[in-house]
Amino acid sequence: MPRENLYLEEIIKNLPRILSLIDNDKTSRGYGLGDRYYWAWGLTDFGNGTYQGIANGLSHLWVSGLWPFQSSFNTFAERINSLFLGAKKLTRKDGSLEEAFPNEGSYCVTALVAFDLLVTIDLLDQLIDQKKKQEWISIVEPLVQFLIKKNETHAFISNHLATAAAALFRWYELTNQDSGVVTKGEFLVSSILKNQSKEGWFKEYTGADPGYQTLCTYYLADLHLNQKHLNLLNPLSKSLQFLWHFAHPDGSFGGYYGSRSTRFYNPGGILALREEIPEAQALSSFMIRSIKESRVVTLSCMDEPNLVPMFNSFAWSASLVKNFSANKESFPKDLNLPCNDRNPLRKNFSDAGLLVDRGAEYYSIINYKKGGVVQHFVDYKLELLDTGAVFKSSQGKFGSNQNFDPKSTFEMTENKFAIYNQVTEMPKKLPSPLQFLLLRLCCITIFRSSIIREFTKSFLVKYLITKPKAWPVWNEREIVFGKDLVVEDRHQEVKGFTKLESPKPFVPFHMASKGYWQIQDENIKV
């Protein structure tokens, strides 16, 4: 009997909107582009390159026999070819692609598209002629050269570096052309591992973010499966031993306690590691029900800018499940995830500032380096979600104690946790027409200089995410452990600043990947 393929079911629900992204009109100047805001609506003045990576997931479906439509291969191949041509149109003279603004020089998106197109070439290698293959390779080459020559400097974001490393080694395997590609790939992997905590997590801006770590695992798993000499099994094992603590009793994953406040689950890499890492097997088995019941952010919840990487991950997962069925493989007996174990546990990931406290009837996660963000589950349900204290200045600006604060102090006893940290401004703004005008002027002038552009990115990251403006207000948060977990906040009154009734939940900084819906949101207490 064929194995139920829930990844494929989720894909089939979303494939019509994914295919609708692509401009199929050969008379259009946008032929092959995937950014409808650009080629169809005309609402932006540049094309987001991310969408060209759709070719990866589509090709996985085709070669695995999972393509749900009665398409001829010629029709399918023409669509894939158009995506390559679209990538060529969007490639700048320096070999880069863009996501946010013209002349952005996005290291992340350039790496993502290079990786996806290289996977596509590998998957379809036996189905296309050599002339077409060489044409596609020539389209990817400028992207690879950009990855070799440039670096991402505005922040340390492990999943971006893993994407680039995976693309570079894919290029080498395909072309056997080195010219610095292996050296740069090994440098990126070394940087990721150097910044991996002994607790297993990979750095995302200021710390650990389980959601983005699943995406990082997607690319590291590809590296591990194809480049055994990198010796990634042990780092990936440590990663999974960290990650599986952040699957929750209600089926959700990750959350506001992460450094980027994300709660999506990227399944492909973890599923691919199932035979080598027991925790990967256990986590994959647990999360498949969550995907089915929308208890975690799924493909259906993603907006277009983040849709493509998740689609490709789901497509890889669907093909893996298909192969399980074909080979009559069965999953080994599941391990008991930390959230499903009833034995008492208190696990302190001190580098990340994450505390997991478990009793027979509850499961609590606290980030004491983010002011004491709490997610508390009782009897498989979210009982308390407290993302911090909110203050308002006399100028009408908002601030919060939910920030990564190296100056914060904390003390833990057997029954409670006390956190004392400084309140910072929440730099959350909507862009104005004037700001957009200024940005576009910069895009066609000074941002052509990579030095000025990267300096500006670094400044914006510090202002919007990592180092917001400190206020002269300090908050003391006391958390009493147990099934009936209690949170109390105290602060000294400061003229010009007022504590508000905390809105729950909230994210205090700019993060595009926040706020995706899952079914539990309908029952959050406000």
Side-chain angles (χ1 to χ4, degrees), residues 405-446:
D405 184 3
K407 298 178 183 179
S408 63
T409 59
F410 36 83
E411 181 181 355
M412 182 172 65
T413 64
E414 183 64 27
N415 299 317
K416 64 183 179 180
F417 211 124
I419 304 118
Y420 186 66
N421 74 323
Q422 192 169 13
V423 173
T424 59
E425 188 173 305
M426 293 195 277
K428 301 197 294 185
K429 298 178 180 180
L430 295 176
S432 69
L434 182 60
Q435 288 172 327
F436 255 102
L437 176 60
L438 178 60
L439 175 62
R440 287 303 182 262
L441 288 174
C442 291
C443 288
I444 62 176
T445 54
I446 60 174

Side-chain angles (χ1 to χ4, degrees), residues 183-368:
T183 300
K184 185 59 177 288
E186 290 178 343
F187 168 76
L188 292 172
V189 172
S190 176
S191 296
I192 295 168
L193 299 183
K194 182 179 179 181
N195 283 275
Q196 182 183 19
S197 167
K198 64 181 184 295
E199 298 167 350
W201 50 272
F202 298 107
K203 188 176 181 181
E204 292 286 329
Y205 287 101
T206 56
D209 187 84
Y212 265 108
Q213 188 158 328
T214 65
L215 179 59
C216 185
T217 301
Y218 170 85
Y219 297 106
L220 291 179
D222 184 85
L223 280 165
H224 167 65
L225 295 173
N226 294 291
Q227 306 292 329
K228 295 296 185 183
H229 73 280
L230 294 175
N231 298 315
L232 289 174
L233 181 58
N234 186 54
L236 283 167
S237 296
K238 291 181 179 179
S239 171
L240 266 298
Q241 290 160 12
F242 171 81
L243 274 181
W244 78 333
H245 287 87
F246 304 102
H248 307 144
D250 67 347
S252 59
F253 182 87
Y256 297 88
Y257 51 75
S259 65
R260 301 182 67 176
S261 299
T262 61
R263 53 184 188 172
F264 54 75
Y265 175 78
N266 199 291
I270 296 171
L271 187 64
L273 297 169
R274 75 207 178 279
E275 294 181 348
E276 298 181 89
I277 302 176
E279 292 83 0
Q281 166 58 59
L283 185 55
S284 293
S285 298
F286 177 82
M287 293 306 299
I288 192 62
R289 180 181 175 184
S290 298
I291 291 170
K292 182 177 182 179
E293 298 176 356
S294 297
R295 294 188 171 276
V296 68
V297 173
T298 65
L299 186 59
S300 294
C301 305
M302 307 302 285
D303 56 359
E304 276 74 9
N306 271 336
L307 180 66
V308 174
M310 186 67 83
F311 166 63
N312 292 339
S313 183
F314 266 72
W316 188 20
S317 299
S319 68
L320 289 170
V321 171
K322 171 70 180 299
N323 290 333
F324 299 163
S325 299
N327 297 327
K328 297 183 179 179
E329 296 180 8
S330 59
F331 287 120
K333 185 177 180 181
D334 292 355
L335 293 176
N336 206 13
L337 259 69
C339 67
N340 282 338
D341 195 324
R342 292 308 197 187
N343 295 309
L345 170 75
R346 186 165 293 169
K347 180 75 172 179
N348 184 11
F349 297 99
S350 58
D351 286 353
L354 288 166
L355 179 73
V356 177
D357 184 50
R358 181 182 69 206
E361 299 177 274
Y362 70 90
Y363 196 79
S364 306
I365 299 175
I366 301 164
N367 191 327
Y368 52 88

Side-chain angles (χ1 to χ4, degrees), residues 484-501:
D484 299 318
L485 183 144
V486 177
V487 177
E488 289 187 3
D489 288 312
R490 292 183 292 272
H491 72 284
Q492 187 174 5
E493 296 293 335
V494 178
K495 185 177 180 180
F497 299 92
T498 306
K499 184 177 183 297
L500 305 179
E501 183 67 29

